[in-house]
Amino acid sequence: MTPDIPALRPPAPSIPIRDVTPNDLKPLMRCCWADRSHDVGRWMIGRVVRNQADRRGTGAVVTAAAGTIVGYGQLTLWPRCAEISDLYVEEAYRSMGYGTALIQYLTRHAHTLRAGCIEIGAAESNPRAAALYRRLGFVDNRVIDMNLSATQREPVIYMRLTLPR
């Protein structure tokens, strides 16, 4: 019997999620990556498309009314563990289930890729994100001091979820 892991539950059907495509670059630059250069955005999309082709991960967008992109998340399958990164939901759509749905979508994808575990990080200054990840079944694993931007260094709590085989 498979344990009930909230992160492995199907995302709410009322929240549309799909794999990212190169056509999503412009809307992602507007909603999720406004602080990044266009070159970085193009590189990120390219990396995700290559990972999709090689079955090493994916990127996903979550949409609201009229298909407007309001969130993004990325999954990368590493040799030891999968990782969810670059998770972002526009502020107006937070606390409405969009982040939960993205994590569930990406965790289920990691499970189909036969990942044994999945990790996600939360900056110590973002306790809401850490609380969400814990509610979904992730447990604290380690803290790493990271550069979160060109000027900001901060401790990040990495959490891990062991996936059933």
Side-chain angles (χ1 to χ4, degrees):
M1 182 170 153
T2 304
D4 180 34
I5 300 170
L8 275 174
R9 293 179 189 152
S14 60
I15 299 177
I17 303 175
R18 61 173 173 77
D19 285 351
V20 73
T21 71
N23 294 334
D24 295 322
L25 179 59
K26 261 188 178 172
L28 282 168
M29 294 302 298
R30 272 193 307 274
C31 85
C32 302
W33 300 339
D35 62 334
R36 298 178 182 177
S37 73
H38 197 75
D39 288 340
V40 168
R42 224 180 2 263
W43 176 82
M44 287 182 70
I45 293 275
R47 180 177 65 173
V48 166
V49 169
R50 284 188 302 279
N51 281 347
Q52 289 167 339
D54 296 341
R55 293 190 42 82
R56 289 190 337 236
T58 194
V61 293
V62 61
T63 59
T68 304
I69 293 175
V70 298
Y72 174 82
Q74 183 173 308
L75 172 75
T76 304
L77 187 60
W78 298 106
R80 289 183 157 172
C81 198
E83 178 187 18
I84 293 175
S85 64
D86 298 301
L87 195 68
Y88 181 84
V89 174
E90 279 195 82
E91 194 166 338
Y93 293 89
R94 293 179 187 163
S95 298
M96 299 171 66
Y98 288 89
T100 296
L102 269 169
I103 293 166
Q104 289 170 325
Y105 183 89
L106 295 169
T107 301
R108 290 169 66 85
H109 192 80
H111 192 243
T112 65
L113 293 175
R114 303 185 52 75
C117 62
I118 189 163
E119 291 186 332
I120 191 167
E124 280 189 351
S125 64
N126 191 353
R128 287 182 64 208
L132 168 63
Y133 306 158
R134 289 178 185 120
R135 275 195 310 274
L136 291 172
F138 290 83
V139 295
D140 293 22
N141 183 265
R142 65 191 183 285
V143 176
I144 299 175
D145 198 36
M146 296 183 67
N147 289 328
L148 297 182
S149 70
T151 60
Q152 181 184 6
R153 191 160 182 86
E154 182 174 349
V156 174
I157 305 163
Y158 267 84
M159 299 175 191
R160 182 176 282 201
L161 175 66
T162 301
L163 299 173
R165 293 289 176 162

